Amino acid sequence: DAGVIQSPRHEVTEMGQEVTLRCKPISGHDYLFWYRQTMMRGLELLIYFNNNVPIDDSGMPEDRFSAKMPNASFSTLKIQPSEPRDSAVYFCASSFPGLAGAPRFFGPGTRLTVL
Amino acid sequence: EDQVTQSPEALRLQEGESSSLNCSYTVSGLRGLFWYRQDPGKGPEFLFTLYSAGEEKEKERLKATLTKKESFLHITAPKPEDSATYLCAVENRDDKIIFGKGTRLHILP
């Protein structure tokens, strides 16, 4: 298996633009997580899905952020409009069926820079 | 408020010099404590889960232990390839995962 796949790996955009990050979890995993990592705040959970259903989105910063999981093999995290304070590394992660708790497999991340 | 504090923030060791990393936690109803390794430019790599005080897990030169207030990641005779950031996380009774900010470990050859 190729592991968790994220695209793009790097994104540079200007303030006010829409940004879409993409994730393909490991086949057969039914938990999918979106995390954000910064030096100041460390790793923060934004949202997680179980069987394509959002379970906890309390970490989503504000209405500018939205996440979808239309099927078991694809998820998106959208920021509209983007702001400089959104600059961070965004990770997608997935876990085995029935295994809640901390995610087991992380993707390589998307480094987002908002100018 | 639940929180996780890791110390030290950074640690430099000579190859072969054993040491320990600390993860102190305050959490409402610990359901699990997790250790990860993160290399620069990569996502965290899962290492261990510990569920109850007294539990220990080992993997190569790493051993994780757990008490009611903290966890230690012991590194025995480290090698340069053990250089990474080590992250600790806890899960509380509400299924919330809280990560520490990590310890940057650098092993000098």
Side-chain angles (χ1 to χ4, degrees), chain A residues 6-23:
Chain A
Q6 292 187 245
S7 65
R9 292 295 313 278
H10 303 273
E11 177 81 34
V12 180
T13 190
E14 293 188 346
M15 184 174 63
Q17 296 298 306
E18 178 179 295
V19 175
T20 300
L21 310 182
R22 298 172 176 81
C23 174

Side-chain angles (χ1 to χ4, degrees), chain B residues 90-105:
Chain B
V90 298
E91 180 183 6
N92 68 13
R93 64 163 60 99
D94 297 321
D95 298 332
K96 294 282 188 183
I97 306 295
I98 303 104
F99 275 84
K101 293 188 178 179
T103 293
R104 296 188 309 279
L105 178 65

Side-chain angles (χ1 to χ4, degrees), chain A residues 9 35 37 39-43 45 48 56 58 91 99-108, chain B residues 34 36 38 41-46 49 51 87 89 91 94-101 104:
Chain A
R9 292 295 313 278
Y35 278 85
Q37 187 174 42
M39 289 292 292
M40 288 291 293
R41 300 174 67 88
L43 204 57
L45 177 66
Y48 80 91
D56 183 356
S58 59
F91 289 104
L99 186 66
R104 290 295 188 265
F105 298 93
F106 280 80
Chain B
F34 313 91
Y36 294 81
Q38 185 174 22
K42 296 188 176 182
E45 174 190 346
F46 175 79
T49 303
Y51 292 106
L87 299 169
E91 180 183 6
D94 297 321
D95 298 332
K96 294 282 188 183
I97 306 295
I98 303 104
F99 275 84
K101 293 188 178 179
R104 296 188 309 279

